[in-house]
């Protein structure tokens, strides 16, 4: 499937077939990394990070280096011309002469989209405010595919701050497009998934959604438990916070009766929402999930550059 | 022309023949990039940026990577040993053991010169305060050469802040050394080109200089219109600013009767001194100018490293 | 000697034979650099710098690039996920998926050790607070070896702040393990080497230690003069500072009767503790010492990666 020159701003930019072609390539890259070590020789990735991110930036860099390509860019806006008042559309037009593909992380929603409209090299959205984070979604999909073989007929719990988390929004909207995915949304009342996303997913894709405040209600049923962080300052009052906070901290006890092949996922970084005692459980795949981010970004860039 | 081991601090460090040999190589590199993709294999460029600059730093990095070399360095002084009080002359002596060539951007005038005096690897001035910015000048020359074929018999307007802009000073002093260049200096009275530069150019190179406050006076005559930014805080009083500011903002209307093959250039970043409606005009070459910065820096480094 | 997969947190992690095998390889790498230019092709070094350091970071980067490998990482904690509250142990587990070897500089003592306990790729301590700085010690050893051939039967003066300087602590503890090294400790009373280090070195390795406040007492006797910086704020009172400060500034005069083949070393950066008039003295090897840091880090990484 030819994706040369395309941009990736929103996971919905790609059809399910296109997404799957990236995932299939990523699976093969993970299996046989050395076979791809010269794929991007001579290619340059520009990493334009207007706000810091270890994970996203370094996984992109690793992905490009693993394919024999090179990287240039900046890690925060203070070392860029943004501090001189240059517009993002001017910056990307200049970068077009320096690099063959670019990833942009920007605090403002829609910025990656704007950049892509002024770019003839492929632009990848590395996170734009609370909006989208499509390569995290690809990473999540690859992890599911590697363990469950097919992305279908799955009960998926998403737990934590479902209101503001862009990771979760991207993932739900994308998973809903696959066959027979049921969602179990676990969050405090104030941090529920926005209604417009729920409606969209239900109506458009006919997905089943079950909502609860209590993780215990679903933890023994689901195939995937996707944890996210709840920031204390998101709660409306201290009372609610104290009442609920323990409910959203995963411990070894809580998963004692969960399915044996349940996947515990997390986009990382975590603070304390997964107790470290869980790390050694074979169902805890969040570190491997982070590692999968390299392979899926390799596959994505190779496709957009048209070298495979 | 052998330039191995030389430093580039001021464009006048090189003869016209030497400058031309760099430009000729850059033209060929732009035409046939892949032929040079292993030229600097095993070479390391150190980018020592004591103040931030996207454009200069990334174009140097791109240039070195395009030739198969590598890059190390820092993007601002807070991540360097400068914060521990190390002198620049000590830093460059240490860097001599880490890299094969270095580019320095520093807020203090004369700093690149100082560094070069303690270095046995080539040092390139990437901008020292309000003083010099020789690789921007090379970029400008390459752009002119690519469009005008020969750098001679040209009417060149320079518009904006001609008093403080190092880009403009470097360019004028260098262009004056070429054959039959006439300068049209367009600036508010308070931001005129310093007298000592004007005198030097007139006496030494016999260049013609015409000065005005109004862009309209020259815009239909010139072969090249070189725009620069005027910072509001440079004006002595608000009244002057309000009176003149529109005069220095280029719009599609203003160039409607300009020559068909006039070049509109700008060192970038721009803020608002060129209206975005001008971008699509075929005479607007400022983004291509930025891209040319990669080729000319490739040629420069290849020459200084002695690999061509 | 096979060191594949080992960590280097403290110079004592390695036996004298293991240290020597690294130094021997470094000597050969310095002699014949080009022979090793593809040794680490396809390998990635992660540089995790939670506090800035030009010298250490760039020498590691240079070392990896000189062997054909690549580098990713961050130069200060503000551009890393540490700002989101991620633990170091989580960060290193993620980095394990991005790189093949890692160097960590962290303000907190014991942090590199902690990271190594959660890492299956080799972790190198690039400095942890006032604690250890093992690759500086390797650099020092290589410099001594290159000039003195064998690291034995040497009179070594260490001058300056011996209380807080981690460089000095690492060096003394390591040198003491070699044969017949006598130490001449030169420092103000308030900045003497901590008693526990002195006792350890005396009892365990039977090393001779002579202490004085005056550099003049020893400067004509020793084979090596290792200078370090004294920060003004370390003195208890201004009177002591004024009395002693000149005593710890090395000048050409002071070394006029020193041994002809004495080595003047310094971990750099220096501020004013070695007068620049000393730089041209052939006994001043501190810049070459800095350059040796590249070769010894090449050898170290090649050993830990198991590619030699």
């Amino acid at each position: 499937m030819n994706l040369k020159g395309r941009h990736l701003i929103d996971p919905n930019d790609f059809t399910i077939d296109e997404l799957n072609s990236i995932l299939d390539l990523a699976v093969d890259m993970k299996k046989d990394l050395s076979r791809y070590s010269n794929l991007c020789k001579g290619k340059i990735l520009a990493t334009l990070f207007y706000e810091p991110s270890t994970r996203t930036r370094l996984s992109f860099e690793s992905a490009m280096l693993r394919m024999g390509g090179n990287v240039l860019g900046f890690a925060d806006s203070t070392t860029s011309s943004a501090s001189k008042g240059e517009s993002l559309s001017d910056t990307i037009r200049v970068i077009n002469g320096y690099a063959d593909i670019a990833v942009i992380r920007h605090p403002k929603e829609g910025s990656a989209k704007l950049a892509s409209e002024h770019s003839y090299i492929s632009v990848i959205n590395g996170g734009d405010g609370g909006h989208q984070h499509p390569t995290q979604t690809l990473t999540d999909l690859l992890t599911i595919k590697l363990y469950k073989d097919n992305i279908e007929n799955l009960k998926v719990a998403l737990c934590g701050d479902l209101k503001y988390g862009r990771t979760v929004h991207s993932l739900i909207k994308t998973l809903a497009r696959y066959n027979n995915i049921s969602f179990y949304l676990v969050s405090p009342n104030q941090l529920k998934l926005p209604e417009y996303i729920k409606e969209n997913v239900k109506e458009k894709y006919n997905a089943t959604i079950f909502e609860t405040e209590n993780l215990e209600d679903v933890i023994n049923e689901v195939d995937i438990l996707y944890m996210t962080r709840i920031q204390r300052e998101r709660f409306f009052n201290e009372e609610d916070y104290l009442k609920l906070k323990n409910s959203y901290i995963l411990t070894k006890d809580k998963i004692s009766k969960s399915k044996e092949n349940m996947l515990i996922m997390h986009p990382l970084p975590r603070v304390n929402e997964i107790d470290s005692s869980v790390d050694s459980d074979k169902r805890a795949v969040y570190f491997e999930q982070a590692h999968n981010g390299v392979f899926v970004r390799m596959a994505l860039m190779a496709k957009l550059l048209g070298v495979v």
Side-chain angles (χ1 to χ4, degrees), chain A:
Chain A
M1 200 140 296
N2 185 3
L3 298 174
K4 187 172 177 177
R6 296 272 293 275
H7 306 294
L8 175 58
I9 308 304
D10 178 318
N12 282 328
D13 293 345
F14 290 167
T15 66
I16 288 292
D17 281 351
E18 288 169 342
L19 289 175
N20 286 341
S21 78
I22 294 169
L23 298 178
D24 288 342
L25 179 57
V27 169
D28 201 58
M29 286 173 153
K30 184 168 187 174
K31 226 181 285 173
D32 193 5
L33 185 58
S34 63
R35 200 153 70 80
Y36 298 92
S37 65
N38 281 303
L39 197 59
C40 288
K41 197 164 173 330
K43 301 294 185 190
I44 298 178
L45 164 69
T47 54
L48 313 178
F49 278 67
Y50 291 88
E51 56 177 21
S53 159
T54 310
R55 207 167 315 288
T56 305
R57 182 171 62 85
L58 297 188
S59 60
F60 266 106
E61 295 194 15
S62 182
M64 183 47 88
L65 295 174
R66 291 288 187 217
M67 296 190 291
N70 278 298
V71 182
L72 53 76
F74 46 85
D76 62 79
S77 57
T78 60
T79 57
S80 84
S81 279
S83 57
K84 295 183 191 161
E86 182 172 65
S87 72
L88 183 57
S89 57
D90 273 16
T91 298
I92 192 68
R93 273 183 277 203
V94 170
I95 292 294
N96 270 258
Y98 299 172
D100 304 296
I101 188 168
V103 53
I104 296 179
R105 150 92 44 130
H106 199 285
K108 213 166 136 191
E109 299 189 9
S111 46
K113 176 81 179 152
L114 174 75
S116 73
E117 289 164 357
H118 294 91
S119 179
Y120 58 80
I121 65 172
S122 291
V123 169
I124 300 168
N125 185 1
D128 60 332
H131 203 214
Q132 296 284 349
H133 194 1
T135 59
Q136 179 65 50
T137 299
L138 283 174
T139 300
D140 299 340
L141 292 179
L142 176 59
T143 304
I144 296 171
K145 184 181 173 67
L146 282 164
Y147 279 95
K148 300 297 187 188
D149 220 44
N150 289 307
I151 306 174
E152 55 179 17
N153 306 320
L154 293 170
K155 294 178 177 177
V156 180
L158 298 116
C159 175
D161 175 358
L162 307 186
K163 185 169 181 184
Y164 298 103
R166 67 182 162 198
T167 301
V168 164
H169 300 177
S170 271
L171 180 58
I172 290 176
K173 286 191 286 185
T174 309
L175 270 181
R177 297 159 64 198
Y178 283 86
N179 191 35
N180 192 28
I181 308 291
S182 315
F183 294 102
Y184 296 72
L185 308 180
V186 184
S187 70
N189 235 313
Q190 304 100 313
L191 297 176
K192 285 169 72 171
L193 189 71
E195 209 55 41
Y196 74 92
I197 298 181
K198 221 156 59 190
E199 287 313 310
N200 176 281
V201 163
K202 270 185 178 166
E203 286 172 19
K204 202 159 166 192
Y205 304 109
N206 203 24
T208 314
I209 294 185
F210 174 81
E211 285 187 292
T212 176
E213 279 203 316
N214 299 305
L215 184 55
E216 291 76 9
D217 294 350
V218 306
I219 201 165
N220 297 339
E221 303 233 353
V222 296
D223 302 300
I224 291 167
L225 171 56
Y226 198 100
M227 298 293 296
T228 65
R229 183 180 166 205
I230 299 187
Q231 291 167 282
R232 189 178 190 139
E233 55 276 24
R234 297 292 197 200
F235 283 89
F236 290 155
N237 60 63
E238 185 72 6
E239 207 183 325
D240 281 343
Y241 174 72
L242 293 172
K243 194 181 73 184
L244 287 168
K245 67 166 180 172
N246 287 325
S247 167
Y248 299 101
I249 295 179
L250 198 66
T251 59
K252 229 172 153 44
D253 275 2
K254 285 188 189 156
I255 54 170
S256 60
K257 291 179 179 159
S258 296
K259 288 187 178 175
E260 265 191 44
N261 58 356
M262 177 179 75
L263 300 183
I264 305 168
M265 298 175 67
H266 191 298
L268 303 182
R270 71 167 158 184
V271 178
N272 66 348
E273 58 277 16
I274 300 180
D275 189 84
S276 65
S277 66
V278 176
D279 294 357
S280 56
D281 193 291
K282 72 174 182 33
R283 292 168 290 188
V285 299
Y286 30 89
F287 290 116
E288 192 190 334
Q289 181 185 356
H291 298 179
N292 288 335
V294 175
F295 302 108
V296 89
R297 288 176 176 101
M298 286 174 64
L300 172 65
M301 290 192 287
K303 288 275 187 187
L304 299 185
L305 285 166
V307 294
V308 280

